[in-house]
Amino acid sequence: MKLAFISDIHGNALALDAVLKDIEQKEIDKIFVLGDLCFRGPEPKRSLELVKSLDTDVIKGNADEWVVRGVQNDEVPVQAFEIMNKERDWTYSKLSSNSIDYLSQLPTELNLEYSNFKIHAFHATPLSLFDVVQPHEHDEAVEEKLMQRDADLYIYGHIHKAYIRYIEGKCIVNTGSVGLPFDGLSMASYVVVDVDKDSFQVSIVRVDYNENDVIGQFKNTYYPNINTMEKILINAGV
C-alpha cells in the first residue's frame, strides 16, 4: 500500500498540479492532505477544487483557520499583522461561501492503521494548529509536542521543512510544503509511505515546477503582497 501525504499548498495550484502528476506516475493508492490549502497563493479557488476532487481525507491547517475568521494579533509578528490580513481578505474574496464552510468544518487530525502500523497525522501538533516544532528540537520536546498518541509514524506539515527523524523506535516525518517550501530548495515537497505486511518505508519527494509562472500569476491578480511572495518562491524561504 502506497500512501502520499501532502500539505501546505497555499494556493499554489501549479505546484499542486506537478505533485499530483508525480503521485499518479508513482501509482499511489491513497492521498491524505494535511492542511493550509488556499492562503498566500494566486489560485486559492483552483487549489481547493483540486483538493476536493481527490475525494480523500483532508484536515485543517492554521492558514485555513485564518481564511475562515482572519488573522489575530497574537498569531503573527506585529509588523506582519496588517498585510497578512489584507492577503487573507483577498483570498476570502476568491472563495464561495460553500468553500468557506468546507474549510471551517475540516477535522484537525487523522488516526490511520495499515498492516498493523499506526499513523497519527496532524497539521502542526495534535493540540494546536499554530505551534511550531522545528527539525532540530530536542527529543524530549518532540515527544512532548508531537507524540501524544500511540503510533508508529507521526506525520505533520506547518513548518515547510521536510525531514525524517526517529525517536525511541518511532518515526517522525514532516511533509515539507507543496506550494511554499522554506528549506532553500524551490521544489514542491511531499511524503510517500510504502506500507508492507511487516515493514514501512518513508521517503521525501521533491518535484520541480516553474515558480516564475506562479510569480506571473501573482502579478496578474494584483495580490496585496507580491514582493514578499516573489522572494519566498525564488529563495524557498531562505
Side-chain angles (χ1 to χ4, degrees), residues 84-120:
M84 288 188 70
N85 265 306
K86 287 182 179 179
E87 293 177 82
R88 176 267 174 186
D89 292 346
W90 182 92
T91 303
Y92 188 94
S93 73
K94 304 299 179 183
L95 300 174
S96 68
S97 59
N98 286 339
S99 294
I100 300 302
D101 289 343
Y102 173 85
L103 294 176
S104 70
Q105 295 170 21
L106 288 173
T108 58
E109 63 179 349
L110 297 172
N111 291 287
L112 312 168
E113 188 167 346
Y114 292 91
S115 300
N116 297 319
F117 291 103
K118 295 179 181 179
I119 302 173
H120 190 200

Coordinates of all heavy atoms in Angstrom, one line a residue, residues 84-120:
M84 N -0.9 40.7 6.3 CA -1.4 39.3 6.3 C -2.9 39.3 6.3 O -3.5 38.4 5.7 CB -0.8 38.4 7.4 CG 0.7 38.1 7.1 SD 1.4 36.9 8.3 CE 0.5 35.4 7.7
N85 N -3.5 40.2 7.0 CA -5.0 40.3 6.9 C -5.5 40.8 5.5 O -6.6 40.3 5.1 CB -5.5 41.1 8.0 CG -6.0 40.3 9.2 OD1 -6.7 39.4 9.1 ND2 -5.4 40.6 10.4
K86 N -4.7 41.6 4.9 CA -5.0 42.0 3.5 C -5.0 40.8 2.6 O -5.8 40.6 1.7 CB -4.1 43.1 3.1 CG -4.4 44.5 3.7 CD -3.5 45.6 3.1 CE -3.8 46.9 3.8 NZ -2.8 48.0 3.2
E87 N -3.9 40.0 2.8 CA -3.8 38.8 2.0 C -5.0 37.8 2.3 O -5.5 37.2 1.4 CB -2.5 38.1 2.3 CG -1.2 38.8 1.8 CD 0.0 38.1 2.2 OE1 0.4 37.2 1.5 OE2 0.6 38.5 3.3
R88 N -5.3 37.7 3.5 CA -6.4 36.9 3.9 C -7.7 37.3 3.3 O -8.5 36.5 2.7 CB -6.6 36.8 5.4 CG -7.8 36.0 5.9 CD -9.0 36.9 6.1 NE -10.2 36.1 6.4 CZ -11.4 36.6 6.6 NH1 -11.6 37.9 6.4 NH2 -12.4 35.8 6.8
D89 N -8.0 38.6 3.3 CA -9.2 39.2 2.7 C -9.2 39.0 1.2 O -10.3 38.7 0.7 CB -9.3 40.7 3.0 CG -9.5 41.0 4.5 OD1 -9.8 40.1 5.2 OD2 -9.3 42.2 4.9
W90 N -8.1 39.1 0.6 CA -8.0 38.8 -0.9 C -8.4 37.4 -1.2 O -9.2 37.0 -2.1 CB -6.6 39.1 -1.4 CG -6.4 38.9 -2.9 CD1 -6.6 39.9 -3.9 CD2 -6.1 37.7 -3.5 NE1 -6.3 39.3 -5.1 CE2 -6.0 38.0 -4.9 CE3 -5.8 36.4 -3.1 CZ2 -5.7 37.0 -5.9 CZ3 -5.5 35.5 -4.1 CH2 -5.4 35.8 -5.4
T91 N -7.8 36.4 -0.4 CA -8.1 35.0 -0.5 C -9.6 34.7 -0.3 O -10.2 34.0 -1.1 CB -7.2 34.2 0.5 OG1 -5.9 34.4 0.2 CG2 -7.5 32.7 0.3
Y92 N -10.1 35.3 0.8 CA -11.5 35.1 1.1 C -12.4 35.5 0.0 O -13.4 34.9 -0.3 CB -11.8 35.9 2.4 CG -13.2 35.6 3.0 CD1 -13.4 34.7 4.0 CD2 -14.3 36.4 2.6 CE1 -14.6 34.5 4.6 CE2 -15.5 36.2 3.1 CZ -15.7 35.2 4.1 OH -16.9 35.0 4.7
S93 N -12.1 36.6 -0.7 CA -12.9 37.2 -1.7 C -12.9 36.3 -3.0 O -13.8 36.4 -3.8 CB -12.4 38.6 -2.2 OG -11.2 38.5 -2.9
K94 N -12.0 35.4 -3.1 CA -11.9 34.4 -4.2 C -12.7 33.1 -4.0 O -12.8 32.3 -4.9 CB -10.5 34.1 -4.6 CG -9.6 35.3 -4.8 CD -10.0 36.1 -6.0 CE -9.2 37.3 -6.2 NZ -9.6 38.2 -7.4
L95 N -13.2 32.9 -2.8 CA -13.8 31.7 -2.4 C -15.3 31.9 -2.2 O -15.8 32.9 -1.8 CB -13.2 31.1 -1.2 CG -11.7 30.8 -1.3 CD1 -11.2 30.3 0.1 CD2 -11.4 29.7 -2.3
S96 N -16.1 30.8 -2.5 CA -17.5 30.9 -2.3 C -17.9 30.6 -0.8 O -17.0 30.2 -0.1 CB -18.2 29.8 -3.1 OG -17.9 28.5 -2.7
S97 N -19.1 30.9 -0.4 CA -19.5 30.6 0.9 C -19.4 29.1 1.2 O -19.1 28.7 2.4 CB -20.9 31.1 1.2 OG -21.8 30.5 0.3
N98 N -19.7 28.3 0.2 CA -19.6 26.8 0.4 C -18.2 26.4 0.7 O -17.9 25.5 1.5 CB -20.1 26.1 -0.8 CG -21.6 26.1 -0.9 OD1 -22.3 26.4 0.1 ND2 -22.2 25.9 -2.1
S99 N -17.2 27.1 0.0 CA -15.8 26.8 0.3 C -15.4 27.2 1.7 O -14.6 26.5 2.3 CB -14.9 27.5 -0.8 OG -15.2 27.0 -2.1
I100 N -15.8 28.3 2.1 CA -15.5 28.8 3.5 C -16.1 27.8 4.5 O -15.4 27.5 5.5 CB -16.1 30.2 3.7 CG1 -15.4 31.2 2.7 CG2 -15.8 30.7 5.1 CD1 -13.9 31.3 2.7
D101 N -17.3 27.4 4.3 CA -17.9 26.4 5.2 C -17.1 25.1 5.2 O -16.9 24.5 6.2 CB -19.4 26.1 4.7 CG -20.3 27.2 5.0 OD1 -20.0 28.1 5.8 OD2 -21.4 27.2 4.4
Y102 N -16.7 24.7 4.0 CA -15.8 23.5 3.9 C -14.6 23.6 4.8 O -14.3 22.7 5.5 CB -15.5 23.2 2.4 CG -14.5 22.1 2.2 CD1 -14.9 20.8 2.1 CD2 -13.1 22.4 2.1 CE1 -14.0 19.7 1.9 CE2 -12.2 21.3 1.9 CZ -12.7 20.0 1.8 OH -11.8 19.0 1.6
L103 N -13.9 24.7 4.6 CA -12.7 24.9 5.4 C -13.0 25.0 6.9 O -12.2 24.4 7.7 CB -12.0 26.2 5.0 CG -11.4 26.3 3.6 CD1 -10.9 27.7 3.3 CD2 -10.3 25.2 3.4
S104 N -14.1 25.6 7.3 CA -14.4 25.7 8.7 C -14.7 24.4 9.4 O -14.4 24.2 10.6 CB -15.5 26.7 8.9 OG -16.7 26.1 8.4
Q105 N -15.2 23.4 8.6 CA -15.6 22.2 9.2 C -14.6 21.0 9.1 O -14.9 19.9 9.4 CB -16.9 21.7 8.5 CG -18.1 22.7 8.8 CD -19.3 22.4 7.9 OE1 -19.5 21.3 7.4 NE2 -20.2 23.4 7.8
L106 N -13.4 21.3 8.6 CA -12.4 20.3 8.4 C -12.0 19.8 9.8 O -11.9 20.6 10.8 CB -11.2 20.8 7.7 CG -11.3 21.1 6.2 CD1 -10.1 21.8 5.7 CD2 -11.6 19.8 5.4
P107 N -11.7 18.5 9.9 CA -11.2 17.9 11.2 C -9.7 18.4 11.4 O -9.1 19.0 10.5 CB -11.3 16.4 11.0 CG -11.2 16.2 9.5 CD -11.9 17.4 8.9
T108 N -9.1 18.0 12.5 CA -7.8 18.5 12.8 C -6.8 17.4 13.0 O -5.6 17.7 13.2 CB -7.8 19.4 14.1 OG1 -8.3 18.6 15.2 CG2 -8.6 20.6 13.9
E109 N -7.2 16.1 12.8 CA -6.2 15.1 12.9 C -6.7 13.8 12.2 O -7.9 13.7 11.9 CB -5.8 14.7 14.3 CG -7.0 14.2 15.1 CD -6.7 13.9 16.6 OE1 -5.5 13.8 16.9 OE2 -7.6 13.6 17.4
L110 N -5.8 12.9 11.8 CA -6.1 11.6 11.3 C -5.4 10.5 12.1 O -4.2 10.6 12.4 CB -5.6 11.6 9.8 CG -6.2 12.5 8.8 CD1 -5.4 12.4 7.5 CD2 -7.7 12.3 8.6
N111 N -6.2 9.5 12.4 CA -5.6 8.3 13.0 C -5.8 7.1 12.1 O -7.0 6.7 11.8 CB -6.3 8.1 14.4 CG -5.9 9.1 15.4 OD1 -4.8 9.1 15.9 ND2 -6.9 10.0 15.7
L112 N -4.8 6.6 11.5 CA -4.8 5.6 10.5 C -4.1 4.4 10.9 O -3.2 4.4 11.7 CB -4.2 6.2 9.2 CG -4.6 7.6 8.7 CD1 -3.6 8.1 7.6 CD2 -6.0 7.6 8.2
E113 N -4.5 3.2 10.3 CA -3.8 2.0 10.6 C -3.8 1.1 9.3 O -4.8 0.9 8.7 CB -4.5 1.2 11.7 CG -3.7 0.0 12.2 CD -4.3 -0.6 13.5 OE1 -5.1 0.1 14.2 OE2 -3.9 -1.8 13.8
Y114 N -2.5 0.7 9.0 CA -2.3 -0.1 7.8 C -1.3 -1.2 8.2 O -0.2 -0.9 8.7 CB -1.7 0.7 6.6 CG -2.7 1.7 6.0 CD1 -2.7 3.0 6.5 CD2 -3.5 1.3 5.0 CE1 -3.6 3.9 6.0 CE2 -4.4 2.3 4.4 CZ -4.5 3.5 4.9 OH -5.4 4.5 4.4
S115 N -1.7 -2.5 7.9 CA -0.9 -3.6 8.2 C -0.3 -3.6 9.6 O 0.9 -3.8 9.8 CB 0.2 -3.7 7.2 OG -0.3 -3.9 5.9
N116 N -1.1 -3.2 10.6 CA -0.7 -3.1 12.0 C 0.2 -2.0 12.3 O 0.7 -1.9 13.4 CB -0.1 -4.4 12.5 CG -1.1 -5.6 12.4 OD1 -2.3 -5.4 12.7 ND2 -0.6 -6.7 11.9
F117 N 0.4 -1.1 11.4 CA 1.2 0.1 11.6 C 0.3 1.3 11.8 O -0.6 1.5 11.0 CB 2.2 0.4 10.5 CG 3.3 -0.6 10.3 CD1 3.3 -1.6 9.4 CD2 4.4 -0.6 11.2 CE1 4.3 -2.5 9.2 CE2 5.4 -1.5 11.1 CZ 5.3 -2.5 10.1
K118 N 0.4 2.0 12.9 CA -0.4 3.1 13.3 C 0.2 4.5 12.8 O 1.4 4.7 13.1 CB -0.7 3.2 14.8 CG -1.5 2.0 15.3 CD -1.7 2.1 16.8 CE -2.5 0.9 17.3 NZ -2.7 0.9 18.8
I119 N -0.6 5.3 12.2 CA -0.1 6.6 11.7 C -1.0 7.7 12.4 O -2.2 7.6 12.3 CB -0.2 6.7 10.2 CG1 0.6 5.6 9.5 CG2 0.3 8.1 9.8 CD1 0.5 5.6 8.0
H120 N -0.3 8.7 13.0 CA -1.0 9.8 13.5 C -0.6 11.0 12.7 O 0.6 11.4 12.7 CB -0.7 10.0 15.0 CG -1.6 11.1 15.7 ND1 -1.3 11.7 16.8 CD2 -2.8 11.6 15.3 CE1 -2.2 12.5 17.2 NE2 -3.2 12.5 16.3

